[in-house]
Amino acid sequence: GIIASELHTTYLIPVFERYHQQDARKKISVGEIFKQMYPTAKVGDNIRMMVEYDSTMVFLTELSNDRVTLVGQAAHFVGRDHFFENHNGRLGMVQARALLTEKGVTYEQEN
């Protein structure tokens, strides 16, 4: 729940809100807004600033005009499947995926 909340509150909902606050005649895509809000983020990067005593990572795994996909992972908390291969190659850690489109955010708890 903590990872999903981080993906939702910190990264994707602010982009989604900005997208829907635009003038309907002059809309730019959710992907373009994400790029404006996180200009240094690149696909494959952990875009979350490290916080002392917090092992959560947020990877940008897909970025196009119409979709943004983030994978949140905890480096020190074991998930349900100890053999699950996490995004960064570790095994068995808690991981969730979030997808943002113009219709909203969807989540999947992967481990």
Side-chain angles (χ1 to χ4, degrees):
I2 293 170
I3 291 174
S5 177
E6 176 82 7
L7 296 173
H8 182 83
T9 305
T10 304
Y11 297 97
L12 299 180
I13 289 303
V15 173
F16 188 64
E17 287 174 344
R18 188 176 288 183
Y19 174 78
H20 281 288
Q21 290 169 352
Q22 297 179 87
D23 182 339
R25 297 169 294 177
K26 208 174 180 184
K27 280 199 174 187
I28 61 172
S29 68
V30 291
E32 288 299 318
I33 292 171
F34 186 89
K35 288 177 193 176
Q36 289 175 359
M37 293 178 73
Y38 305 99
T40 61
K42 293 182 180 35
V43 172
D45 287 353
N46 174 10
I47 63 171
R48 186 169 188 265
M49 184 172 45
M50 296 307 290
V51 178
E52 191 174 5
Y53 305 111
D54 185 353
S55 67
T56 304
M57 295 173 277
V58 175
F59 297 98
L60 175 61
T61 61
E62 180 183 13
L63 179 58
S64 66
N65 282 339
D66 60 347
R67 57 193 296 144
V68 177
T69 305
L70 300 178
V71 170
Q73 179 185 324
H76 302 298
F77 296 103
V78 177
R80 293 179 309 268
D81 179 356
H82 295 278
F83 299 103
F84 175 83
E85 186 173 347
N86 291 94
H87 176 75
N88 68 349
R90 293 198 61 183
L91 291 178
M93 301 295 107
V94 171
Q95 181 170 298
R97 181 176 304 271
L99 168 66
L100 170 67
T101 67
E102 66 182 23
K103 295 180 182 180
V105 180
T106 57
Y107 297 96
E108 178 183 358
Q109 186 67 37
E110 296 183 320
N111 194 38

